[in-house]
């Protein structure tokens, strides 16, 4: 799976600018994103606490695609170009976009709650 992650910094102009961005993001931008071919899921999350790093990030959106080819086709689509134009208009300089790929071997290593001990009911000779 490929995920495009969008991190949005809080606008400098204060709470009113943030409210305007959030309204336009929901009403204008997300419908454009939703029309993107090959898009499997969109998850929008509000940042409630920053433990390390940039404390001005207030909104994060993850957009999932099945694989790299599907993602590349989505990036080249008219729908994604329209969403990109809209984003530049409503959030100039506020967005950081990242492309994420799964790393299964690290996922397994980072999941200590998974029981990896094998058991058997056969007796050993």
């Amino acid at each position: 799976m490929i995920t495009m992650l969008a991190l949005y910094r809080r606008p400098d102009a204060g709470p009113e600018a943030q409210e305007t961005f959030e309204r336009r993001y929901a009403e204008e931008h997300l419908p454009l994103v939703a029309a993107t071919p090959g898009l499997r899921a969109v998850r929008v999350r509000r940042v409630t606490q920053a433990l390390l790093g940039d404390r001005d990030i207030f909104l994060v959106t993850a957009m999932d695609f099945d694989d790299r080819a599907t993602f590349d086709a989505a990036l080249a689509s008219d729908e994604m170009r329209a969403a990109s134009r809209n984003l530049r208009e409503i959030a100039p300089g506020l967005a950081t976009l990242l492309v994420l790929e799964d790393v299964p071997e690290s996922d397994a290593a980072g999941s200590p709650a998974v029981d990896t001990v094998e058991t058997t009911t056969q007796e050993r000779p």
Side-chain angles (χ1 to χ4, degrees):
M1 180 184 319
I2 299 289
T3 300
M4 183 164 65
L5 191 65
L7 310 174
Y8 297 100
R9 286 178 297 288
R10 200 174 314 285
D12 290 334
E16 220 173 270
Q18 183 174 327
E19 288 173 19
T20 298
F21 165 76
E22 289 188 66
R23 179 184 49 76
R24 291 187 70 189
Y25 188 73
E27 293 174 4
E28 297 174 31
H29 187 68
L30 289 177
L32 294 170
V33 169
T36 301
L39 181 66
R40 177 171 290 282
V42 175
R43 295 176 313 283
V44 178
R45 301 291 184 261
R46 186 178 318 285
V47 176
T48 59
Q49 183 178 10
L51 300 176
L52 291 172
D54 190 344
R55 297 190 190 316
D56 287 334
I57 294 174
F58 77 98
L59 197 67
V60 176
T61 300
M63 295 152 276
D64 296 332
F65 299 86
D66 285 337
D67 52 38
R68 187 64 198 213
T70 303
F71 174 69
D72 288 343
L75 281 182
S77 72
D78 291 339
E79 293 84 354
M80 185 63 87
R81 282 194 288 276
S84 295
R85 280 190 302 273
N86 175 262
L87 186 61
R88 286 190 302 274
E89 179 186 321
I90 69 172
L94 299 180
T96 297
L97 301 177
L98 306 170
V99 178
L100 312 176
E101 293 184 2
D102 290 340
V103 184
E105 60 277 10
S106 293
D107 286 347
S111 300
V114 176
D115 183 5
T116 58
V117 177
E118 291 184 29
T119 60
T120 181
T121 57
Q122 297 176 349
E123 289 185 23
R124 293 185 183 196

